[in-house]
């Protein structure tokens, strides 16, 4: 990820999780590790298959094709800015059919950086060391798009030749909508945060699964 700010000599970020419910939101508990790949014994490995977790917490192996996009705030847009732009948003939707809130603001799916795709009120944790608001590091969402945002966040290569994504059989649509095969709560997400002001970069996570 070209814009990811690695600490010190680290050039590798690993995010792992325990695939069982944990009290912080009743979702898998993530762990984050920054590593210097030149000092690590990195060898191909088969991930262990735990016994007993819900299949919804075990991601399907898949290939990543990162794409850089410009992210605009949705829930995090200040009220005074939203009020100042309300008329322009309404005009835009009337003239083009594009809604700022549903189509043109925060990007959906699994992503690094940008704004969290809240489904409830925003919750930005503060650093336990310096009390500064922590930065959004990573979002893991249950789906790459929803019933509205598919018009902007559905990959071109997955777009049906005729009709819309919702005309496809359920199994085929689900495979496109959620390629990692995850379901966190009711189509929710998990957000990872860190403090970039402190040398040890404290880490926190929050789930938004309703």
């Amino acid at each position: 990820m070209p814009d990811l700010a690695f600490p010190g000599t680290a050039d590798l970020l690993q995010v792992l999780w325990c695939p069982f419910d944990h009290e912080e939101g009743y979702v898998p508990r993530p762990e984050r590790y920054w590593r210097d790949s030149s000092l690590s014994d990195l060898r191909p490995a088969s991930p262990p298959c735990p016994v007993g977790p819900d299949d919804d917490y075990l991601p399907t192996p898949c290939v990543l094709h990162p794409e850089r996009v410009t992210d605009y705030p949705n829930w995090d847009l200040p009220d005074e800015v939203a009020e100042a732009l309300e008329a322009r948003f309404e005009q835009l939707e009337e003239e083009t059919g594009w809604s700022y809130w549903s189509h043109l603001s925060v990007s959906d799916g699994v992503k690094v950086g940008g704004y969290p795709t809240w489904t409830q009120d925003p919750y930005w944790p503060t650093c336990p060391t310096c009390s500064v608001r922590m930065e959004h590091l990573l979002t893991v969402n249950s789906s790459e798009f929803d019933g509205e945002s598919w018009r902007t966040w559905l990959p071109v290569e997955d777009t049906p030749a005729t009709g819309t994504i919702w005309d496809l059989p359920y199994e085929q649509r689900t495979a496109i909508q959620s390629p990692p095969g995850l379901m966190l709560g009711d189509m929710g997400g998990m957000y990872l945060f860190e403090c970039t002001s402190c040398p040890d970069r404290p880490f926190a996570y929050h789930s938004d699964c309703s």
Side-chain angles (χ1 to χ4, degrees):
M1 303 298 173
D3 297 322
L4 187 60
F6 287 92
T9 60
D11 60 358
L12 172 66
L13 169 62
Q14 288 182 310
V15 177
L16 312 174
W17 72 40
C18 175
F20 292 90
D21 279 328
H22 289 262
E23 289 186 5
E24 183 63 36
Y26 295 96
V27 292
R29 189 192 73 237
E31 296 288 347
R32 173 220 58 186
Y33 300 94
W34 296 103
R35 301 190 188 279
D36 182 340
S37 60
S38 67
L39 303 177
S40 301
D41 182 17
L42 299 175
R43 293 174 295 175
S46 298
C49 186
V51 177
D54 192 313
D55 288 343
D56 289 341
Y57 292 170
L58 298 177
T60 303
C62 55
V63 178
L64 296 177
H65 297 283
E67 180 181 0
R68 180 186 287 161
V69 299
T70 300
D71 220 21
Y72 294 100
N74 189 311
W75 283 80
D76 289 298
L77 189 68
D79 290 341
E80 62 273 16
V81 177
E83 292 174 3
L85 295 176
E86 182 178 4
R88 294 174 63 183
F89 288 162
E90 291 177 353
Q91 180 181 1
L92 173 71
E93 186 167 4
E94 182 178 341
E95 294 178 354
T96 67
W98 298 110
S99 163
Y100 172 82
W101 306 107
S102 299
H103 308 128
L104 304 176
S105 54
V106 66
S107 57
D108 284 332
V110 177
K111 66 180 182 180
V112 175
Y115 292 93
T117 51
W118 310 110
T119 55
Q120 301 181 33
D121 291 342
Y123 173 80
W124 290 86
T126 56
C127 174
T129 303
C130 69
S131 299
V132 170
R133 192 182 85 167
M134 302 178 87
E135 299 292 330
H136 174 235
L137 173 64
L138 173 70
T139 283
V140 179
N141 265 330
S142 296
S143 65
E144 295 295 293
F145 54 86
D146 56 30
E148 281 292 332
S149 64
W150 66 271
R151 285 191 276 173
T152 46
W153 300 116
L154 169 64
V156 172
E157 57 268 26
D158 290 331
T159 302
T162 59
T164 74
I165 186 71
W166 306 104
D167 297 321
L168 297 177
Y170 175 79
E171 293 78 10
Q172 185 178 355
R173 186 189 78 219
T174 301
I176 295 173
Q177 188 177 15
S178 183
L182 297 172
M183 181 60 68
L184 304 174
D186 184 12
M187 297 290 283
M190 181 165 55
Y191 314 111
L192 283 65
F193 302 87
E194 66 168 356
C195 177
T196 57
S197 301
C198 296
D200 58 344
R201 296 178 82 135
F203 166 70
Y205 72 98
H206 173 66
S207 65
D208 197 358
C209 294
S210 296

